[in-house]
Amino acid sequence: MTNKKYDVITFGRSSIDLYSQNIGSAFNDIKGFDAFVGGSPLNIAVGCARLGVNTSLLTAVGNDKVGEFIVNFLNKEGVNTQCIPVKDSARSSAVVLGIEPPDKFPLVFYRDNAADSEVDIDDVDRANIPEYRILLINGTAMNREPSRSATFYAAEVANQNKVDVVLDLDFRADQWHDYRAYGITMRAVLPKVKIAIGTEEEILAATMVNTSQVTIKHQQISAPEISGDINESIKRLLATGIETLIVKRGKDGASICRKDGSMQDVPGFPVEVLNILGAGDAFASGFLYGLLQGWDMYKACRMGNASGAHVVTQKGCANFMPTLEQSLTFIEKNGGF
Ligand SMILES: Nc1ncnc2c1ncn2[C@@H]1O[C@H](COP(=O)(O)OP(=O)(O)OP(=O)(O)O)[C@@H](O)[C@H]1O
Ligand SMILES: O=C(O)C[C@@H](O)[C@H](O)C(=O)CO
């Protein structure tokens, strides 16, 4: 039982996502785009809402048509938009994305003067964090002020009010002035966090000691490959005080790493990949759904894997999140929890 009024609030970026209509085409040959919405915290909020979770998004938009487009979509999806301020001096952001399966998903951010980076401490106060069961914070939202201190503040308020803090490590390399600044910031916020979620790349980035660990492939500058000792990095993140670190492992599903040093693998669901973008966000929404049901971590991760597998077969992120019925039917048909 809980005395909280709402379930989940996610905090961070939002955008219009312009996805190539020419699947498999090289970026230079793209002829047209579909207009969807995106931004990892937005995608997670929509994924949660589709599963029936009472969800709010704390982001900001500019006083422009793109902002209206984003908020209109969220309202239709049943995501609570009351705590989304309009920042007059900033712009709603855009992302342009190519789809070249199986392994090239080029993505260009248009985030100069991004409205969501302007979310500040007053906006956090207006969002009523103590009323929620879970606050999901996002790595990229800490790349600049005022959204960095607003994120730290939101986590602090959550800690004081029995709201569980989940950190999506989400590392978008080109959004940081120095790759090392990302890790320094993550390690500073982790003591306020109960559960962190990240890919191996993100976990290595959060513990990076030398920028020569980073390799940019296929000009995918927002999501580079990062080398290093993953087991050492997992240990380092667990030593910050978090209870659990969830490692997302693509087609192999996820692993649950606990502070007692144990690791449990949770198998994924085999599917044919169309577009991997948004899989991590879908995973997070299924996982949060499971936590809110009081399920154990294994079952919550299986739910996350089902949402992730669904989205990799689709050509977008938020617009293609599964409903509860779709996920449960998919799990039942594919071996159960
Ligand atoms: N090829 C796949 N087949 C089945 N499930 C997948 C596949 N790729 C990803 N998933 C599911 O989606 C989850 C997240 O994917 P991944 O590990 O690639 O995270 P990510 O890099 O954060 O994703 P994103 O592309 O959204 O940034 C995985 O843990 C898994 O559950
Ligand atoms: O914000 C991003 O990371 C790009 C998004 O617009 C897209 O929705 C996505 O890739 C989410 O992980």
Side-chain angles (χ1 to χ4, degrees):
M1 277 300 280
T2 171
N3 55 359
K4 302 287 186 186
K5 203 165 162 189
Y6 306 110
D7 294 328
V8 174
I9 181 162
T10 71
F11 180 179
R13 68 186 181 282
S14 52
S15 55
I16 187 168
D17 275 14
L18 302 177
Y19 268 92
S20 166
Q21 289 172 334
N22 308 106
I23 292 164
S25 283
F27 203 89
N28 290 350
D29 298 325
I30 293 174
K31 299 280 182 294
F33 293 96
D34 282 318
F36 299 141
V37 298
S40 173
L42 180 151
N43 295 336
I44 297 173
V46 172
C48 284
R50 288 211 177 163
L51 295 174
V53 171
N54 187 330
T55 311
S56 302
L57 174 64
L58 173 54
T59 187
V61 292
N63 189 2
D64 50 52
K65 292 306 280 181
V66 169
E68 257 181 64
F69 180 89
I70 295 168
V71 173
N72 178 54
F73 175 83
L74 291 168
N75 285 334
K76 281 198 195 147
E77 289 289 333
V79 173
N80 176 8
T81 57
Q82 273 159 23
C83 42
I84 302 184
V86 174
K87 302 282 178 182
D88 283 327
S89 56
R91 286 295 187 100
S92 309
S93 23
V95 186
V96 179
L97 308 99
I99 306 181
E100 297 175 56
D103 62 340
K104 282 197 236 165
F105 302 95
L107 167 169
V108 184
F109 283 112
Y110 291 84
R111 293 187 47 77
D112 296 348
N113 193 25
D116 55 63
S117 294
E118 296 302 315
V119 172
D120 60 21
I121 290 170
D122 289 328
D123 295 320
V124 172
D125 271 337
R126 282 189 281 268
N128 285 323
I129 304 286
E131 306 256 35
Y132 291 83
R133 291 173 67 188
I134 295 177
L135 163 71
L136 179 124
I137 56 173
N138 171 277
T140 308
M142 287 175 267
N143 69 338
R144 48 177 59 102
E145 290 292 359
S147 64
R148 178 190 305 130
S149 46
T151 304
F152 275 76
Y153 176 67
E156 206 169 277
V157 171
N159 288 169
Q160 288 157 1
N161 290 280
K162 296 191 167 55
V163 180
D164 289 339
V165 180
V166 177
L167 168 65
D168 181 348
L169 284 164
D170 180 59
F171 175 52
R172 291 301 192 188
D174 59 339
Q175 298 300 303
W176 291 83
H177 71 285
D178 179 327
Y179 298 143
R180 292 165 300 184
Y182 166 77
I184 291 164
T185 311
M186 293 311 104
R187 297 192 298 276
V189 81
L190 278 163
K192 301 184 197 308
V193 170
K194 185 173 178 187
I195 301 171
I197 306 176
T199 60
E200 288 196 359
E201 253 74 26
E202 287 163 345
I203 291 163
L204 290 167
T207 50
M208 186 187 299
V209 283
N210 192 322
T211 52
S212 66
Q213 289 171 253
V214 179
T215 314
I216 313 278
K217 277 180 91 181
H218 309 309
Q219 282 187 307
Q220 297 193 84
I221 50 176
S222 68
E225 281 187 5
I226 304 175
S227 60
D229 181 339
I230 185 66
N231 292 324
E232 231 1 85
S233 292
I234 289 172
K235 263 193 219 154
R236 272 188 74 193
L237 290 195
L238 286 168
T240 60
I242 55 173
E243 279 180 19
T244 314
L245 174 62
I246 304 292
V247 187
K248 293 178 287 184
R249 297 193 189 276
K251 68 177 174 35
D252 296 324
S255 303
I256 305 161
C257 305
R258 297 195 172 83
K259 64 178 172 200
D260 63 7
S262 64
M263 190 189 285
Q264 184 181 20
D265 293 330
V266 186
F269 294 92
V271 288
E272 194 171 331
V273 175
L274 175 66
N275 164 37
I276 60 162
L277 289 165
D281 306 332
F283 174 90
S285 48
F287 175 71
L288 293 180
Y289 173 84
L291 291 186
L292 288 161
Q293 306 313 302
W295 294 350
D296 61 31
M297 289 271 167
Y298 184 93
K299 191 172 173 186
C301 282
R302 280 287 277 176
M303 188 70 182
N305 286 338
S307 286
H310 176 89
V311 164
V312 295
T313 65
Q314 310 289 316
K315 57 177 184 169
C317 302
N319 302 59
F320 298 91
M321 292 285 166
T323 62
L324 184 58
E325 202 190 328
Q326 281 174 323
S327 274
L328 294 179
T329 308
F330 175 82
I331 292 170
E332 203 181 300
K333 282 192 180 149
N334 289 278
F337 281 104

